[in-house]
Amino acid sequence: MLSLKPNRYVAQVVCSGLLSVLPVYASDSLSLTQRTLENGLSVYLQPDPSTPIVNVQVWYHVGSKNETPDRRGIAHLFEHMMFKGTKNIGPEEHSQLIHSVGGQDNAYTTEDVTVYYETVPSTRLHLALSLEAERMHLLDLTQATLDSEREVVKEEKRLRIDNNPILKTIERFRQLVFKVHPYAWTPAGYIEDLDLITLDDCKRFYQTYYQPRNATLIITGDIRLNETFLMVEKYFGHIPGHPLPTVKIPTEPSQRRLREEILRLPAQLPVVVMGYRIPGIRDPAIPNLEIIDRILSGGDSSRLVQRLVKRDRLAVTVGAFVEGMEDPGIYIVYAVSAPGTDMTRVRTAIIEEINQLGLKSVVAREVEAAKNQLTDRHIRSMEPVSGKGQGLGEAIVLHHNLSSFLNVTERYRMVTPGSIARTTRQYLTRNRLSVVTLLPTHRK
Amino acid sequence: MKTRSVILLSTLISGFATAQDFPLPQIDYQRLNNGLSVIIVTHREQPVINFDLLIQVGDEIDPPQKTGRSSLMAAVITKATERFSSLELSQKLDYVGSTLEAASSSHTFRLKGDSLLAHVQVLLDIFPEVLLHPTFPVDEIEIERERAITDTKANFDSPHLLASLYLRRLIFSARTPYGRYPSERTIKAITREDLLLVHQQIQAPQGAILVISGDVSPQDGLRWANEMFGRWKESQRSLPKTNEPLVTDKRRLIIVDKPDLTQSTIHIGHSSIRRSDPVYPTLQVLSQIFGGGGFSSRLMKTLRSDGGKTYGVASRYVSMLKAGTFGISLTTRNAETKNCLDLIFSEIDKIRQRGATEEEVDDAKRYLIGSYPMELEAPGQIADRLLYNLSFGLGIDYLRILPQQIGAVTQIQVNQAAKQYIRPDAATIIVVGNAKEIRPLLREYGAPTVIDYQTPLD
C-alpha cells in the first residue's frame, strides 16, 4: 500500500490521497514532486518525457568525512562493495543486468555523499529500482569479495593519485589545509588504511549508513508520477529504516597564518595550488564566492587569465573553483607554468589580483557577466536527464535548498560589487591561505 | 509534453531506413548557394543554441617538420579578428557566457560555439568573423605556442597517454600522419605564415557542413546560416596529397622506462579497419563482449572482478578515415604485469578459438542499441554525432542506420571477426613503468626494447 508523508524540507508538499501527487515546483520546463516513505526514504520525481529514458540516482548521505583517521578510504571501498553482489544477485551482476537492457550505471564517492545511478530505457525503470532496493538492504558482504575489491581500490588510488603528480599535489594540499577535519584526506584514502579494513568494518558501515533514512532517491526522465511512486513503494517500502547515529565530526580550528609547502616530484611542469578556507556550502557567502570565481577565472577575459597568461606570461593555464562542501570548504586557485618559471611570481600575481577584488574594483558589468556564465552553465547542466538528477541531488542533499537549483537567478540576486568586496575581505585573506608548489625534479 | 517527429529534407539521404523505436528531433537540411551544407536540429527543451562547423581538412596535410601546425592555427583562430581585439572578443563572449573553440583532427577542422538563445546575437556576430577574418596576432601565437609545447611535455606525466602515443607511433611510424606527434622542435618551427596558409586551406564552403542545433526553428536556423556564411567564398587553395598510412604490425615488446611509477601501464594493439569498412558494426559487438563493455566484458571479469588485478581494463577499435587500431589497455601493480599479460593473451585465445556465446552476442547488441539514445540526448550530442558520421561519408540518416546494423550482426559474424580482427601474433606490447622491476618478469615475452620515457617522439 502506498503510504507517503511530506518531506521536512519541502513544506509545500500536501498528501491529499493515495494517488494524488502534488508538485513542489512546476514550470514549463521542470516539474518536481516529492514524497517520503514511512521508512524515511525521501523520493523526488521529475518527469521529462522528451527521450524514452530514465535516470535513477540514490544519494547516501555518507562520504569520506564520516571516516575515522585509521580507516581512510572505507567510504569509497564500500561504494565498490555495493557492486559485489547481494542475496539474490551475483557479483557485478547488477551492472551486467543494467547493460543487458541497454542501460548504463556507475557510482561515485565524495567527501559528503556516495551516489549510485543508472540510466535505462524508461520501460526498464522497474529493473533499476529493484536492483537499487536489493543492494540497499540485502548486500552480501564476504571476505573473498572484500579481499579482491580492496586490491582494485588500491590500484585505483595508485592510478589516480600516486602516479599523477598534480593529484599528488592536491592530496598534500588537503593535508596542509585541514589538520583535524576529515577533509584532510580525499575519498581515495590511503593504502595503509585500506589494508586494515575488515569485513566487520564493512558490515558496520553498511548497517549504519546504507538505509532508507540516510538516502534520497531521485528519478528523472520519461516517467508517470503515480505509477512510479507505486513502483518505488513496492521495491523500497518494506526496507526497514532506523534512527541514524549521531556522528561527531571534528571541527577544524581557525587558521591563523599563511601555510605553505614546496613539493618536489618527478614531473614535467611546475604547478602552484592555492586555497582559501571558506564557509560550508549552505552559507550565504557561497553565491558571492561563485561570482568571484567567475570574475577571476571565467574565460579569457577573466582577471587571472588576463594577468597571468596574457599580460605577464607567467602561466600557460590558470584556473579556479569553489570546492564547496557541507563543512567549511576551500576556494582553490591553481596555475600551471612552463618549466623554469619563477613560481613565487606566479603566486604573488594571483594574490594581487584577488586582493584587488577587496578594494571595490569590481564593476557591475563584471558581476553581470559572471551571473550570465553561471546561468548558462546551470541550463547546460540540465540537458541530459542525468544532469538534472545530479543538480537535484546536490540541491536537496547538500545545499538543503531546492530554490537555488530551480531558480538560479534568485541564487545570485543579492550579489553586488559591494558584497563581492566584503566577501573578498572576509574570506580571501592571507591568514586563510594555504599554498603548495610542485617543483619538477625530472632530469633535463 | 513535447512531441518529437522526424522530418528529413535531406538530399544527403539515400533511401531512409526503417524507423527504430527511439525518437530523434526534427532535422532539416539545406545547401546554400556557395555549397555550404546546413543542418538544423530543432531540439527545444532548453533555451540553448549550438553552432558547429566542420571542414574536411585536418592535421594530415601538415608537413612532418611542422607537425602541430593545424592545431596551432585552430588554437589562435578564435583569439582576434579584424573587428575585435583579443580582449574585446573574449569580453563579448564571456559577458554572455558563450563559448567558442576550434580544433583540428587528422582529417577535419571544427569550429564550435554555444550560447543561450537570449544571447545568440553575439554568437551570430562572432562565429563567422573568427572563421573568415581572423588576424593571428603574434602575441597570441606565442601564448598558444607555449601552451602547445607545455602540453607535449605534460604528456610525459601521463602513462596511459605515453603508452598510446608509442603504440600509434610503432604501428604507423613517423612517416605517416597517424604516427606523428607535435614536439617542441616541430611547434617552434611553425611560423605565422604557416598559420595563414592553413587558414587559406580551410576556406572552402563547398563540402563544409554547419550544424545549428537547439532551440531554433528550421526557418530561423536557415536564416542565421545565410546571415553568417551566405557570402563565404572558396579561396584559391591547393591541398597537398596525402598518402595511405604505412603499417607495421608485428609482435614486439617495448618497455618505456619511468622509474618513479608504482604501476605498469600496458597497451597492446595492432592496426585495424578504417571507418568505411562494412565490418565496423560487427567489431563494435565483438569489442563490447571482449573488453569494451565495462563489467560485462570478458577482460574486466577476468582481470578485475575475479582477479582484483586492475582498476579497469578495456579494449577498443578506433577507426579513422584511412586506417584504424585495435587496442587493449590497463594498469596494474608492477608484480602483476606478467600475470595480466598472460591472462589477456589467454582471453584472446579463448575468444578466437571458441568464439562468443549467443547470449553474449544478444546482450552486447541490446546494450549497444539500448544505450544509443543516451548518446543523443542533448542537441550538441546530436550535432557531434552527425558531423562525425558525415566526415566519414555516412549520411544524415546514418543516425538511424547504425543501430539497425548492430541489430543485424550475427553470432557467426562475431566469431569470424574474432579470428580475423584480433591478431595476437601481430600485437605490439607497450609497458610504461619501472623497467628495472618489470623487465625480469617479462622474459617469456622476448627481449624488450627499453626506451627512456623522456625520449622525444619527433
Side-chain angles (χ1 to χ4, degrees), chain A residues 358-370:
Chain A
L359 301 174
K360 299 186 181 174
S361 70
V362 172
V363 296
R365 191 175 165 83
E366 281 179 289
V367 178
E368 242 175 277

Side-chain angles (χ1 to χ4, degrees), chain A residues 314-331:
Chain A
L314 285 168
V316 287
T317 301
V318 59
F321 56 94
V322 176
E323 181 87 299
M325 297 187 278
E326 277 196 306
D327 291 344
I330 327 169
Y331 179 54

Side-chain angles (χ1 to χ4, degrees), chain A residues 50 100 301 316 368 443, chain B residues 45 94-95 147 366 377 452:
Chain A
S50 55
S100 73
S301 70
V316 287
E368 242 175 277
R443 50 191 195 282
Chain B
E45 267 163 51
D94 293 342
Y95 180 67
R147 201 194 302 265
R366 267 201 304 276
E377 253 193 281
D452 182 280

Side-chain angles (χ1 to χ4, degrees), chain A residues 28-29 48-53 76 80 83-84 92 95-105 119-121 124 148-149 151-156 158-160 162-165 222 266-269 298-302 306 309-311 313 315-318 337-339 341 365-366 368-370 372-373 375-376 379-380 382-386 388 442-444, chain B residues 1-2 4 21-23 45-50 79 86-87 90-92 94-98 114-116 119 139-140 142-144 146-147 150-151 153-154 156-157 159-160 258-263 265 288 293-296 301 304-311 331-333 363 366-381 452-454:
Chain A
D28 288 347
S29 61
D48 169 7
S50 55
T51 305
I53 57 178
H76 176 232
H80 280 240
F83 291 87
K84 299 303 285 185
E92 275 82 35
S95 294
Q96 287 157 8
L97 286 165
I98 294 292
H99 288 186
S100 73
V101 300
Q104 296 171 347
D105 72 317
T119 304
V120 289
R124 306 300 185 144
S148 150
E149 210 55 24
E151 295 308 313
V152 170
V153 170
K154 284 158 65 180
E155 288 305 313
E156 185 177 358
R158 290 185 187 109
L159 171 71
R160 289 191 194 278
D162 298 351
N163 290 313
N164 180 325
D222 183 21
Q268 300 295 319
L269 305 172
D300 273 4
S301 70
S302 66
Q306 282 296 319
V309 179
K310 304 280 184 180
R311 197 189 92 182
R313 304 278 295 275
V316 287
T317 301
V318 59
S337 300
T341 307
R365 191 175 165 83
E366 281 179 289
E368 242 175 277
N372 285 338
Q373 288 182 26
T375 305
D376 184 280
I379 290 173
R380 295 230 166 237
M382 292 203 297
E383 284 192 298
V385 290
S386 57
K388 290 189 187 102
H442 80 284
R443 50 191 195 282
K444 291 277 180 191
Chain B
M1 175 174 172
K2 291 184 210 75
R4 289 171 159 200
D21 59 355
F22 71 94
E45 267 163 51
Q46 302 292 346
V48 297
I49 299 291
N50 308 290
K79 299 302 177 193
S86 165
L87 182 60
S90 57
Q91 280 175 334
K92 275 179 172 290
D94 293 342
Y95 180 67
V96 295
S98 288
D114 62 54
S115 163
L116 293 184
H119 304 303
D139 52 350
E140 292 294 334
E142 293 314 312
I143 288 169
E144 293 307 322
E146 188 169 27
R147 201 194 302 265
T150 54
D151 281 351
K153 291 183 191 301
F156 292 113
D157 284 341
H160 267 300
K258 195 167 189 301
D260 60 293
L261 293 180
T262 57
Q263 281 178 314
T265 298
Q288 177 71 16
F295 283 123
S296 304
K301 183 167 179 354
R304 173 171 160 161
S305 308
D306 297 346
K309 295 187 189 313
T310 180
Y311 172 58
T331 56
T332 187
R333 50 199 174 277
D363 279 352
R366 267 201 304 276
Y367 173 78
L368 292 169
I369 295 169
S371 62
Y372 189 62
M374 293 167 206
E375 295 166 28
L376 301 173
E377 253 193 281
Q381 289 176 300
D452 182 280
Y453 82 104
Q454 290 187 105

